[in-house]
Amino acid sequence: TQLLEQSPQFLSIQEGENLTVYCNSSSVFSSLQWYRQEPGEGPVLLVTVVTGGEVKKLKRLTFQFGDARKDSSLHITAAQPGDTGLYLCAGASQGGSEKLVFGKGTKLTVNP
Amino acid sequence: DVKVTQSSRYLVKRTGEKVFLECVQDMDHENMFWYRQDPGLGLRLIYFSYDVKMKEKGDIPEGYSVSREKKERFSLILESASTNQTSMYLCASSPPKGSTNEKLFFGSGTQLSVL
């Protein structure tokens, strides 16, 4: 069974600080996705990374896929209260399954 | 705007009741999924379907069944609700693997409480 370990589970920071969320596995994934979920809503896709070593930027968010495609990180620069939410990583297996493997999530609170 | 609609935001049921959770998508997606989300446990896949009348068990199918009679509708059924099925239930749909827009589109969730 493929597992994705996400850390930290909780993160509470002040506006303007930087942070990094990690997603690690012993398994190789064909791609990895990051979702953000706000209270009372379903998760919404932020980004998909496909190539080992790939780095994608979305405004103040930087996503990186590990060279071996077993891990990923999300870095937020100068966090804003609007970044508050649950961040989930999800990996697609190489076997062609339609299923995604989800990490347990990082609950981020950015205080003004 | 593309949408996945879950029929109820909140449901309260009694132990032993039969519960139906409905999900409809308007994107003509082949794949549909049911997850439950619990604090500290993340999203766990209950069942998924990759075509009409097709279904596959996810990681925690016990106590649940599903129905997909039409492409746009995927129903989750709790045959006899129990208190440990109190949870947030999320429905999602996606195009086939390899599509240009390959991602999960989620509904807003149904918070089910079983008393």
Side-chain angles (χ1 to χ4, degrees):
Chain A
T1 304
Q2 292 180 303
L3 291 173
L4 270 171
E5 300 287 339
Q6 201 171 331
S7 62
Q9 190 176 354
F10 298 97
L11 197 50
S12 181
I13 61 171
Q14 294 300 122
E15 182 176 359
E17 291 183 12
N18 302 332
L19 66 112
T20 303
V21 176
Y22 299 93
C23 187
N24 296 298
S25 177
S26 58
S27 302
V28 176
F29 293 97
S30 62
S31 66
L32 200 134
Q33 296 180 332
W34 285 91
Y35 290 80
R36 179 165 160 256
Q37 184 179 18
E38 297 189 28
E41 298 297 328
V44 175
L45 181 72
L46 294 173
V47 79
T48 301
V49 285
V50 179
T51 307
E54 183 177 4
V55 177
K56 278 192 175 178
K57 292 196 172 187
L58 194 66
K59 296 184 181 177
R60 292 174 294 99
L61 279 61
T62 302
F63 304 86
Q64 186 162 10
F65 201 13
D67 291 341
R69 289 186 286 132
K70 293 182 179 181
D71 55 87
S72 182
S73 63
L74 156 60
H75 182 78
I76 302 180
T77 304
Q80 305 292 314
D83 296 327
T84 293
L86 180 69
Y87 290 82
L88 296 157
C89 62
S93 70
Q94 291 189 295
S97 170
E98 303 283 357
K99 297 189 295 182
L100 291 178
V101 176
F102 276 88
K104 293 183 179 179
T106 296
K107 190 169 183 181
L108 171 65
T109 304
V110 182
N111 303 298
Chain B
D1 213 11
V2 295
K3 258 194 149 176
V4 177
T5 303
Q6 294 184 230
S7 53
S8 305
R9 290 299 294 263
Y10 301 96
L11 270 181
V12 180
K13 297 291 181 181
R14 297 229 174 256
T15 301
E17 278 192 77
K18 190 168 186 176
V19 182
F20 293 88
L21 302 183
E22 305 287 348
C23 176
V24 177
Q25 50 100 1
D26 64 1
M27 294 165 282
D28 201 35
H29 284 163
E30 283 74 9
N31 302 324
M32 295 190 76
F33 305 81
W34 274 106
Y35 291 88
R36 63 177 283 177
Q37 184 174 31
D38 301 286
L41 297 178
L43 269 71
R44 293 181 291 168
L45 182 63
I46 304 171
Y47 267 98
F48 70 103
S49 168
Y50 50 88
D51 202 351
V52 175
K53 295 190 187 294
M54 303 300 287
K55 61 185 179 185
E56 282 201 28
K57 293 180 180 179
D59 300 316
I60 51 162
E62 296 78 20
Y64 303 94
S65 62
V66 290
S67 172
R68 191 153 180 216
E69 296 296 318
K70 293 184 178 181
K71 190 176 186 180
E72 66 270 19
R73 187 180 297 270
F74 193 35
S75 304
L76 180 68
I77 303 152
L78 287 66
E79 295 290 340
S80 178
S82 63
T83 55
N84 63 13
Q85 291 179 310
T86 291
S87 186
M88 169 67 79
Y89 289 88
L90 287 163
C91 174
S93 72
S94 74
K97 198 174 178 73
S99 304
T100 54
N101 195 22
E102 188 181 342
K103 65 178 182 179
L104 289 173
F105 293 82
F106 283 90
S108 297
T110 296
Q111 179 62 52
L112 173 67
S113 296
V114 183
L115 307 178

